[in-house]
Amino acid sequence: MPYALKLVQDKKFDLPLDTGIERAVLFLINNGIETWESCEGGEGHSYPEPAVRFHGGYSELLRAASLLIGRQFPVKRFSRVHRVIEGELDRMTNEVVFYKKVPLEKYDTLEKRV
């Protein structure tokens, strides 16, 4: 079993997932998208809006778009971004921003999209 899927089943992450972005993160990981940063957004959070960053190239961005839009997640935008770390450009990464929080629904199975 892939490590990321084991994390999803056990809900074990380096830091606890923000409840307002949990559904999107778990859905992406369950569908083979390797997320690495997320935030539910808002006051007191790192991001102004709910967002998830994930690894992969442009094709992975398109795959995530297909999955999330196909399942009617409240997507605001997708982008490829560079972070700046100590004055240097870091590698490019993918980001999805949502127009509202996406908490885990009580009966949400997060099954893979067929």
Side-chain angles (χ1 to χ4, degrees):
M1 171 182 301
Y3 179 69
L5 289 179
K6 180 80 171 123
L7 290 178
V8 169
Q9 288 181 344
D10 297 343
K11 287 194 175 183
K12 292 182 181 175
F13 297 90
D14 292 338
L15 296 172
L17 286 175
D18 290 343
T19 58
I21 198 71
E22 187 176 28
R23 180 172 178 243
V25 171
L26 296 177
F27 177 76
L28 288 169
I29 293 171
N30 194 45
N31 282 279
I33 306 244
E34 188 180 353
T35 67
W36 64 272
E37 184 174 71
S38 64
C39 181
E40 71 179 39
E43 191 164 332
H45 288 271
S46 300
Y47 289 28
E49 302 168 292
V52 179
R53 288 188 175 172
F54 54 97
H55 295 293
Y58 186 68
S59 61
E60 198 73 348
L61 180 78
L62 294 176
R63 195 162 79 82
S66 175
L67 289 165
L68 291 167
I69 292 169
R71 288 295 294 272
Q72 299 179 342
F73 277 80
V75 174
K76 182 176 183 179
R77 71 176 174 271
F78 288 92
S79 57
R80 304 257 305 141
V81 297
H82 283 286
R83 295 184 308 163
V84 177
I85 300 176
E86 297 180 4
E88 297 288 329
L89 285 177
D90 191 21
R91 66 181 173 176
M92 188 167 275
T93 191
N94 298 305
E95 179 180 76
V96 57
V97 175
F98 301 92
Y99 60 82
K100 67 179 186 178
K101 292 181 181 181
V102 282
L104 192 61
E105 310 266 330
K106 186 174 182 179
Y107 300 104
D108 200 343
T109 61
L110 300 171
E111 71 274 1
K112 289 183 180 179
R113 177 140 193 247
V114 180

